[in-house]
Amino acid sequence: VSGEQAIGDGKDPLSAEHLRSIIGFALGGALIIYVASVVQVWGDWPRVAAIAVVCVTAMMFNWGVTASLIPRVGVERAEDLRIIPNIIAMVGTGIATHWSVIALLFLPFSAALVHGLHTRRPTIRLAVTIGSTAIVAFVDGADPLLLAGMLGLTAFWHVVAIGKIDFARSILSERQRNLTELATAHKELIAAQQHSIANEKLASIGMLASGIAHEINNPMSFITANVKALLQDLRDEPLLSKVMAEYRADVIPSTMDGIRRVNAIVDDLRRFARGEPETAVPFDLATELNAAVRIARSQLRSGQVLHADFKQPSPALCGMPRQISQVALNLIVNAIQASPDDGEVFVSAGSSNGEAVFRVRDNGSGIAPDVLERLFTPFVTTKAAGMGTGLGLAVAHGMVKAHGGRIVVSSDVGAGTMFEVFLPASLA
Ligand SMILES: Nc1ncnc2c1ncn2[C@@H]1O[C@H](COP(=O)(O)OP(=O)(O)O)[C@@H](O)[C@H]1O
Ligand SMILES: [Mg+2]
């Protein structure tokens, strides 16, 4: 089959295999016409013998060309050669039967069977076969009316055969398309399943964390209250020994700082673990981003700096606040991981054309174009096994999309990366 009409993945679904099976049928059909011709001239032995010789020779030629030439020279060349024995056979049988109806049946017969009629080369082959046979028939005194009728029938068959071939081809290519779609869907399903397994794991870690946070929170509340009271009492005391004065000025305030940090961490852990509210709620972007920044600080290597700037106002939002801080956390942790030991990561928020936007920018490694293309696909990671799951951005993308927002990435290899998350302002 010629490549002119390649379909789908570039391979015509009607193959050489198919051609071979057609030719098997063709030989059977031709045999019937030969037998009918022999019956017609029965008794006129030279003619019977001529038809028999033509029949056997043509059959052998057809079969030989198909079986041995196709593998060697390809379908097209083999088909070009195959018309020669067929023209000789048609002309031979026609002369032997004085161009009877039976012999002329070869014309429509070959039109119905020639393979690949919808492309140019097979159509030329058919025209040469039919044309040359018809000319010889006319010159040799065939009944012109009969000949014209048979040529008409041939043209009709030709159209029918093209229709059938195209129909088969369209069904086959549609099936190929369906199969590809099915394979894609299957792959997505597997990814989604692994994704939910990973989510499940995150959820149980979250539950554990919230349990621990809860346990820490109780003692921390009275530690906080007591230390606060102690500091207050020391401040109210006019006469203090030198040691106690140092406690009041230095030790207790820095202890309070430490306590506030522990409380903030416990708070953040609890808010992350608490799970989402059932319905969308109004929330403040800066508050969620701050929580993410505080948690992300634990990932900084010494020398790395994380800058957060939430001074610019951003529109009121409505949605799942935990998801938004999760998105920010994923982006910030990625930025930290991509940054050098003296790298800086900038997190900022603001508004853009009525939408809320937050940006996470780093001066780290940047993202290679081939990774950039598939960045939000699950399991795309450049990190060593155990270091990255390749789920962070896929999850972030899903969550932002659920909020009607979008993530825009710009990255320069070697210079750094910026992720921008746009979130539509709440209508409420
Ligand atoms: N800020 C960034 N700088 C450079 N590469 C990044 C950045 N953020 C993400 N990437 C690239 O995208 C990949 C996918 O990120 P992610 O989905 O979070 O999965 P993971 O962090 O588990 O690898 C990372 O492995 C990394 O190659
Ligand atoms: Mg990540």
Side-chain angles (χ1 to χ4, degrees):
V1 179
S2 83
E4 293 162 48
Q5 292 251 329
I7 294 171
D9 57 358
K11 264 173 80 183
D12 194 322
L14 294 180
S15 60
E17 213 57 46
H18 174 251
L19 175 58
R20 269 190 214 108
S21 81
I22 287 187
I23 288 174
F25 282 109
L27 290 184
L31 199 62
I32 292 173
I33 298 182
Y34 284 123
V35 169
S37 308
V38 165
V39 168
Q40 195 199 344
V41 296
W42 194 254
D44 188 343
W45 305 118
R47 287 181 194 277
V48 170
I51 293 172
V53 167
V54 163
C55 164
V56 171
T57 320
M59 293 253 166
M60 274 167 42
F61 247 112
N62 271 311
W63 189 250
V65 167
T66 316
S68 67
L69 272 188
I70 288 181
R72 263 182 282 152
V73 300
V75 175
E76 286 300 334
R77 289 266 202 79
E79 285 288 273
D80 287 348
L81 285 175
R82 216 167 57 78
I83 67 172
I84 299 169
N86 288 331
I87 293 172
I88 294 171
M90 285 198 273
V91 168
T93 316
I95 292 173
T97 61
H98 297 299
W99 300 101
S100 71
V101 180
I102 291 169
L104 284 173
L105 277 178
F106 267 127
L107 298 180
F109 179 70
S110 46
L113 283 167
V114 174
H115 181 71
L117 287 173
H118 63 303
T119 55
R120 218 171 57 225
R121 204 150 147 180
T123 308
I124 294 174
R125 277 198 293 265
L126 179 67
V128 169
T129 311
I130 304 280
S132 55
T133 309
I135 289 169
V136 175
F138 185 73
V139 171
D140 195 42
D143 179 355
L145 260 180
L146 182 62
L147 189 57
M150 279 302 177
L151 286 176
L153 193 58
T154 305
F156 172 71
W157 269 129
H158 178 77
V159 172
V160 170
I162 290 173
K164 283 183 175 174
I165 288 174
D166 284 350
F167 181 59
R169 195 170 264 116
S170 72
I171 286 180
L172 281 173
S173 62
E174 165 134 1
R175 211 186 57 172
Q176 277 177 344
R177 216 175 21 248
N178 288 348
L179 282 176
T180 335
E181 278 167 13
L182 217 63
T184 317
H186 186 233
K187 249 175 41 200
E188 278 168 5
L189 212 66
I190 288 178
Q193 190 207 16
Q194 283 169 324
H195 186 161
S196 64
I197 290 171
N199 261 348
E200 188 63 36
K201 225 158 109 188
L202 279 181
S204 33
I205 293 172
M207 257 165 63
L208 197 72
S210 85
I212 294 171
H214 193 77
E215 290 305 316
I216 296 175
N217 193 48
N218 287 339
M220 276 316 285
S221 54
F222 63 77
I223 291 173
T224 313
N226 293 354
V227 174
K228 249 189 202 159
L230 176 63
L231 184 60
Q232 197 52 53
D233 288 349
L234 288 180
R235 279 183 182 149
D236 293 344
E237 203 64 49
L239 291 167
L240 281 181
S241 67
K242 205 177 153 226
V243 176
M244 287 316 271
E246 204 181 312
Y247 269 105
R248 180 176 66 185
D250 228 28
V251 179
I252 307 281
S254 64
T255 307
M256 265 320 289
D257 278 351
I259 287 173
R260 269 192 289 271
R261 262 175 63 192
V262 172
N263 284 341
I265 291 168
V266 169
D267 246 26
D268 289 340
L269 268 181
R270 294 202 316 164
R271 62 182 298 122
F272 265 98
R274 203 156 39 211
E276 281 303 336
E278 292 288 307
T279 53
V281 293
F283 67 93
D284 174 47
L285 182 59
T287 309
E288 301 308 320
L289 295 178
N290 254 320
V293 166
R294 277 197 301 268
I295 289 196
R297 283 198 194 283
S298 65
Q299 302 291 312
L300 287 170
R301 300 193 295 278
S302 60
Q304 291 183 320
V305 188
L306 176 55
H307 304 274
D309 169 13
F310 305 131
K311 286 190 287 292
Q312 239 188 296
S314 49
L317 295 176
C318 194
M320 308 285 175
R322 235 70 71 215
Q323 290 192 357
I324 298 306
S325 45
Q326 173 81 57
V327 170
L329 180 64
N330 289 357
L331 297 181
I332 299 170
V333 169
N334 278 346
I336 292 173
Q337 290 176 344
S339 294
D341 285 341
D342 60 347
E344 289 180 285
V345 175
F346 300 87
V347 186
S348 63
S351 69
S352 157
N353 296 326
E355 283 181 312
V357 58
F358 69 91
R359 303 186 173 86
V360 178
R361 183 163 60 82
D362 63 68
N363 48 14
S365 60
I367 305 173
D370 63 312
V371 179
L372 201 57
E373 264 173 31
R374 306 166 296 139
L375 201 58
F376 298 105
T377 314
F379 308 111
V380 169
T381 180
T382 57
K383 293 165 193 169
M387 298 298 294
T389 56
L391 285 173
L393 290 178
V395 168
H397 181 252
M399 289 175 170
V400 170
K401 235 173 81 179
H403 281 80
R406 61 189 194 284
I407 304 181
V408 177
V409 193
S410 42
S411 186
D412 271 328
V413 176
T417 306
M418 178 162 75
F419 281 83
E420 289 177 289
V421 179
F422 294 88
L423 297 165
S426 70
L427 301 173

